[in-house]
Amino acid sequence: MDVTTDAGAPWLIVGLGNPGPGYAMNRHNVGFMVADLLAGRIGGGFKRAGKAQAQVVEGRIGPPGPGSRRVILAKPMSYMNLSGGPVNALRDFYKVPVANIVAVHDELDIDYGVLRLKLGGGDNGHNGLKSMTKVMGSDYHRVRFGIGRPPGRMQVADFVLKDFSSAERKELDYFVDRAADAVECLVIEGLERAQSTYNS
């Protein structure tokens, strides 16, 4: 189901993760990885966003002309479980409808590298989504990047805060690139087209 979005309003694309070099390659930080790649594509560097506890890049994606979309890429700097505050501050500042917000995040219940795009729904125990939903409701888009379940008896918290394995890293660049493609498709062509192309 597609949602009616405001064609003239900007899109806020939020990569979820934890700030600091110690977290950079964690599974929980794949949202930051996708945001960094998208920033490179639009030729921007992340900068502190005024009073909001986030880093942002502003630009446009899509073909030149009326088919392009204004986007704000964001990485909350508040730590994952407090992501909602910075995202809501950016939403207010840039006047972004909730339906024009996209959260890019890791997803335990999907196999590694598999993507699922959706609008709304629960948080499935994800602290970043839980925080966002608490402050602005659940009617935002999600690009869910599968990381799989932890092996054996490893705790979920330990698993998501570990770096991708050496075997996973061999394909990580490809999967992050594909996730960035999916975000662009969602913003430019809509949810149904993006789902039919990237939900595998």
Side-chain angles (χ1 to χ4, degrees):
M1 180 183 72
D2 253 328
V3 66
T4 302
T5 57
D6 182 345
W11 284 77
L12 176 58
I13 300 166
V14 182
L16 292 177
N18 287 307
Y23 296 101
M25 289 303 296
N26 286 182
R27 294 181 177 92
H28 222 19
N29 269 45
V30 74
F32 274 19
M33 297 174 198
V34 175
D36 285 337
L37 180 57
L38 286 165
R41 290 184 180 183
I42 65 175
F46 279 97
K47 296 181 177 64
R48 194 72 184 214
K51 294 181 180 179
Q53 200 174 357
Q55 293 183 351
V56 300
V57 177
E58 297 181 57
R60 300 189 77 85
I61 62 174
S68 71
R69 299 285 183 269
R70 181 179 171 222
V71 297
I72 300 98
L73 305 174
K75 296 192 296 185
M77 293 285 113
S78 57
Y79 291 99
M80 183 70 84
N81 62 340
L82 298 173
S83 299
V87 174
N88 203 40
L90 294 172
R91 176 179 76 94
D92 287 343
F93 180 78
Y94 289 104
K95 297 178 171 53
V96 180
V98 173
N100 282 33
I101 296 174
V102 183
V104 186
H105 64 93
D106 57 303
E107 179 60 63
L108 285 160
D109 286 337
I110 303 174
D111 289 341
Y112 174 60
V114 174
L115 298 177
R116 292 279 190 277
L117 285 76
K118 63 183 285 194
L119 172 66
D123 56 58
N124 202 25
H126 192 286
N127 288 331
L129 298 181
K130 192 178 297 183
S131 179
M132 286 178 61
T133 297
K134 183 177 180 180
V135 296
M136 62 188 190
S138 63
D139 294 332
Y140 53 90
H141 290 85
R142 300 101 188 276
V143 174
R144 305 156 73 204
F145 186 110
I147 61 170
R149 301 293 303 185
R153 298 187 178 186
M154 183 185 291
Q155 295 296 309
V156 165
D158 294 333
F159 180 69
V160 299
L161 292 175
K162 284 192 180 300
D163 289 357
F164 284 102
S165 70
S166 56
E168 288 169 334
R169 283 200 295 271
K170 291 176 182 176
E171 294 183 291
L172 183 59
D173 287 348
Y174 168 76
F175 288 139
V176 168
D177 192 70
R178 192 165 182 270
D181 290 346
V183 171
E184 291 184 343
C185 183
L186 168 61
V187 170
I188 296 165
E189 300 187 60
L191 179 61
E192 288 186 8
R193 169 59 74 84
Q195 286 175 325
S196 67
T197 304
Y198 293 98
N199 280 16
S200 48

